[in-house]
Amino acid sequence: MIKLSRISKSFGRNEVLKGIDLTVEKGEVVAILGPSGSGKTTLLRCINYLEKPSDGEISIAEFTVNCRKPAKKDIHTLRQKTAMVFQQYNLFRHKTALENVMEGLVVVKKLTKEEARKLSAELLEKVGLGTKLDAYPSQLSGGQQQRVGIARALALNPEVILFDEPTSALDPELVGEVLAVIRKIAKEGITMIIVTHEMGFAQDVANHVVFMDGGVIVEEGSPKVIFQSPKEERTKQFLARITPESAYSI
Amino acid sequence: MGAQFDITAVFEYFVKLLPFIKISLLIVAGSIVVGLGVGFLVALPRLYRIPVLQRISQVYASFFRGTPILIQLFLFYYGLPELLKTVHIDVSRVPVLYFVILTYGLHSAAYISEGIRAAVTTVDRGQIEAGYAVGMTGFQAFTRIVFPQALAVAIPILGNLIIATLKDTSLAFTLGVMELTAKSQSLGQLSRHFIESYIALAAIYFILSFLLEKVFFALERRLLRHESRSETAERVSLGKKWLKRRLETKVAWTKGGTGI
Ligand SMILES: Nc1ncnc2c1ncn2[C@@H]1O[C@H](COP(=O)(O)OP(=O)(O)O)[C@@H](O)[C@H]1O
Ligand SMILES: [Mg+2]
């Protein structure tokens, strides 16, 4: 279980997160929606401490970090319990697909090269890249790179995988293959928090939808409630603006 | 002026000059070692934006890049002992070669610090964050992610610098160091075959530079093998990239040779 309490974050005088409380059950898939600039990326980055929250508490599987006085060791532990899939993939450019997935296993988890290689090859197989083990990122399409990114996250066997708009940098024809992979791993009961603008995808993959605006959670609930009968005016407006054109693209 | 042109003298001098390659290469190697050490120290304040030290680094780089190496040699060889005398350190017995290596080293450091800065900043922040996200420490992210990629960018810059320094070592003769150029002059003086001795000298510099260039090109290709788009396009695209990069590097980092 993941519990965020009163997470706040300011950049200078700009208060980007204004005390976020969020609980995510084990195995839950949470979709975070919201207009651009509402603080979605910042919230995800606070969870693995790529961004240092100004205040609040992060608790992942019984392990709690007080953001006012975190020890360096605690941040490191927190990062080992989480994994992240980035909007721009952020693969290690000098390493092959296989080496990208192996890296964390060898360097952080201290597996032997052999064990790491075997596990990584299996995971790449799973995301449909069994034939691209030795390809460098520069030789892969955006969709393939993002799938390597997902395999890299899966390899760490984290408590939660954080996805920050995993398909928004992709050409439209490549979005489907990445969503399909995420859908597949969602079924395996891995806890995931996904920031996305793919409303159709959020609607049928998530079991918990969060709508953020202006650094606060405006409304949250099951996809059915949020998409079909939102209570808050801001949620209604956002959905009205985003859904009519097409459920699968923005 | 000299005696009749004699092609066999070129070959004779060429062979006679060979042993002196050692001294020139020693100056190059020594100054690159000094340059790497000092260059790294000079680059740090600018990479980490340390307020006052950052300014000092900039001034350092501007000074060594903006004044002729010959003047720097004179300043260090004649000026430094005077300066040290005021604090009662006597360096009059220190061999000239040390001053030469020190000067070329500090000179190279200016270029190396710029190169390090360029190399490190080419690795995007996102990859470092991905390293943190998989649980790496800052040190692991640097050594495993930043350094190998920075090296690939730094190698051609270093290659250009080494070749430039090799040519610059020809100025060490002005302080009386018996390296290639000095030896070639004395050979010419003895026999009056000046032209022949200079042709042999030019040939040696050319061959050395050519070999160095080949070595660095091979190294760079190896380090950049991950940036090729596909097997077939590899040759062309790498070659083009290299050319383009060389031009950029030339503009940004190389000095055009000695320029007395
Ligand atoms: N590193 C940063 N420095 C300063 N301001 C930032 C930084 N990152 C984000 N912000 C600001 O925080 C706000 C929220 O950004 P972000 O979390 O990226 O929103 P979203 O992902 O919902 O689009 C924006 O106003 C943005 O300008
Ligand atoms: Mg964002």
Side-chain angles (χ1 to χ4, degrees):
Chain A
M1 193 180 81
I2 297 160
K3 197 160 183 296
L4 308 178
S5 321
R6 308 177 323 277
I7 299 292
S8 359
K9 171 72 185 173
S10 301
F11 291 107
R13 259 193 248 135
N14 181 11
E15 196 181 8
V16 174
L17 297 178
K18 301 170 181 161
I20 301 277
D21 292 300
L22 179 67
T23 303
V24 179
E25 300 299 335
K26 199 168 169 51
E28 218 173 31
V29 176
V30 178
I32 301 183
L33 318 177
S36 164
S38 55
K40 305 180 299 293
T41 296
T42 307
L43 177 63
L44 275 198
R45 289 166 59 83
C46 280
I47 298 177
N48 66 355
Y49 247 88
L50 286 182
E51 221 62 80
K52 186 185 177 319
S54 324
D55 195 8
E57 211 173 74
I58 302 169
S59 182
I60 298 181
E62 315 283 305
F63 177 80
T64 303
V65 176
N66 180 336
C67 302
R68 286 238 154 174
K69 41 177 172 45
K72 217 171 179 177
K73 190 168 103 297
D74 292 346
I75 294 173
H76 197 234
T77 310
L78 196 65
R79 286 185 178 153
Q80 296 194 327
K81 291 185 182 295
T82 58
M84 191 169 221
V85 174
F86 298 85
Q87 191 172 353
Q88 303 293 341
Y89 334 129
N90 293 357
L91 295 187
F92 307 131
R93 295 193 63 81
H94 60 310
K95 295 189 177 290
T96 62
L98 188 68
E99 289 165 347
N100 262 278
V101 183
M102 285 172 63
E103 187 68 10
L105 294 174
V106 174
V107 177
V108 180
K109 301 243 162 184
K110 309 289 181 204
L111 263 59
T112 66
K113 277 235 164 100
E114 288 321 306
E115 292 167 331
R117 185 169 292 129
K118 185 160 169 288
L119 179 58
S120 304
E122 279 167 21
L123 286 167
L124 284 169
E125 184 74 44
K126 182 170 180 175
V127 299
L129 292 173
T131 58
K132 297 282 182 190
L133 301 188
D134 296 321
Y136 287 100
S138 63
Q139 299 163 328
L140 297 172
S141 72
Q144 291 169 332
Q145 290 189 56
Q146 191 59 297
R147 285 185 279 149
V148 175
I150 294 172
R152 176 172 71 181
L154 280 173
L156 305 163
N157 193 21
E159 295 289 334
V160 57
I161 303 183
L162 312 167
F163 293 80
D164 188 12
E165 298 194 31
T167 58
S168 62
L170 294 174
D171 292 336
E173 73 271 20
L174 300 177
V175 170
E177 64 187 61
V178 172
L179 293 185
V181 166
I182 300 175
R183 220 178 278 258
K184 181 165 149 189
I185 59 179
K187 291 212 183 82
E188 296 175 6
I190 297 166
T191 314
M192 308 199 284
I193 303 179
I194 309 177
V195 172
T196 184
H197 287 297
E198 303 285 342
M199 293 303 144
F201 172 77
Q203 199 157 359
D204 59 48
V205 172
N207 16 56
H208 181 165
V209 177
V210 173
F211 173 67
M212 275 180 76
D213 193 10
V216 298
I217 293 181
V218 175
E219 190 169 358
E220 59 179 309
S222 72
K224 204 164 173 190
V225 170
I226 299 293
F227 284 106
Q228 279 153 33
S229 48
K231 285 191 201 59
E232 301 292 328
E233 200 51 41
R234 273 194 282 178
T235 319
K236 285 179 197 163
Q237 277 172 6
F238 175 77
L239 291 173
R241 227 180 30 240
I242 235 168
T243 16
E245 293 144 29
S246 143
Y248 266 91
S249 69
I250 169 104
Chain B
M1 47 172 278
Q4 182 106 54
F5 185 80
D6 177 5
I7 187 78
T8 57
V10 174
F11 295 109
E12 185 194 327
Y13 292 161
F14 185 87
V15 174
K16 280 193 174 148
L17 284 175
L18 288 177
F20 292 85
I21 289 178
K22 270 205 310 270
I23 305 289
S24 294
L25 288 184
L26 179 69
I27 299 174
V28 173
S31 64
I32 293 300
V33 169
V34 172
L36 282 172
V38 176
F40 190 68
L41 290 180
V42 173
L44 282 180
R46 292 176 76 180
L47 283 176
Y48 289 96
R49 298 175 200 283
I50 303 168
V52 180
L53 293 178
Q54 188 180 358
R55 273 309 296 171
I56 297 177
S57 288
Q58 269 164 2
V59 172
Y60 177 95
S62 303
F63 172 77
F64 279 99
R65 295 172 64 180
T67 54
I69 180 94
L70 186 65
I71 309 296
Q72 293 167 16
L73 274 175
F74 289 163
L75 276 177
F76 277 89
Y77 186 58
Y78 298 113
L80 193 61
E82 292 299 318
L83 202 68
L84 289 176
K85 235 185 242 166
T86 61
V87 289
H88 304 290
I89 298 174
D90 181 18
V91 288
S92 57
R93 282 163 186 277
V94 176
V96 191
L97 197 59
Y98 285 31
F99 284 97
V100 171
I101 290 178
L102 179 70
T103 310
Y104 284 112
L106 295 179
H107 181 84
S108 311
Y111 289 87
I112 288 175
S113 74
E114 297 284 337
I116 289 176
R117 217 161 58 90
V120 168
T121 47
T122 51
V123 182
D124 59 306
R125 180 93 204 129
Q127 288 187 57
I128 303 171
E129 292 190 339
Y132 289 146
V134 301
M136 288 185 190
T137 61
F139 180 75
Q140 286 168 335
F142 182 81
T143 53
R144 313 254 338 162
I145 309 303
V146 179
F147 185 75
Q149 294 182 70
L151 195 63
V153 175
I155 283 295
I157 298 175
L158 191 65
N160 284 341
L161 181 66
I162 287 180
I163 291 168
T165 308
L166 173 71
K167 291 184 290 180
D168 280 355
T169 57
S170 66
L171 289 175
F173 84 90
T174 54
L175 299 184
V177 176
M178 204 21 109
E179 44 67 73
L180 280 170
T181 302
K183 180 62 186 175
S184 148
Q185 284 195 324
S186 73
L187 283 173
Q189 238 134 30
L190 274 176
S191 62
R192 320 299 297 162
H193 285 291
F194 282 108
I195 302 294
E196 292 84 342
S197 76
Y198 285 129
I199 291 175
L201 181 63
I204 287 191
Y205 279 121
F206 174 74
I207 292 169
L208 286 178
S209 302
F210 183 78
L211 291 178
L212 283 170
E213 197 160 324
K214 281 270 173 264
V215 167
F216 276 97
F217 182 44
L219 252 178
E220 187 195 359
R221 270 182 75 112
R222 206 188 132 62
L223 288 170
L224 277 181
R225 64 193 183 285
H226 61 274
E227 288 300 348
S228 57
R229 275 230 143 247
S230 73
E231 306 292 322
T232 45
E234 186 175 25
R235 292 185 80 86
V236 182
S237 76
L238 251 177
K240 267 197 197 139
K241 204 183 257 172
W242 182 72
L243 250 176
K244 181 163 164 285
R245 180 123 55 124
R246 295 275 300 197
L247 288 176
E248 284 164 3
T249 351
K250 277 245 161 63
V251 174
W253 318 108
T254 348
K255 40 212 199 122
T258 58
I260 302 177

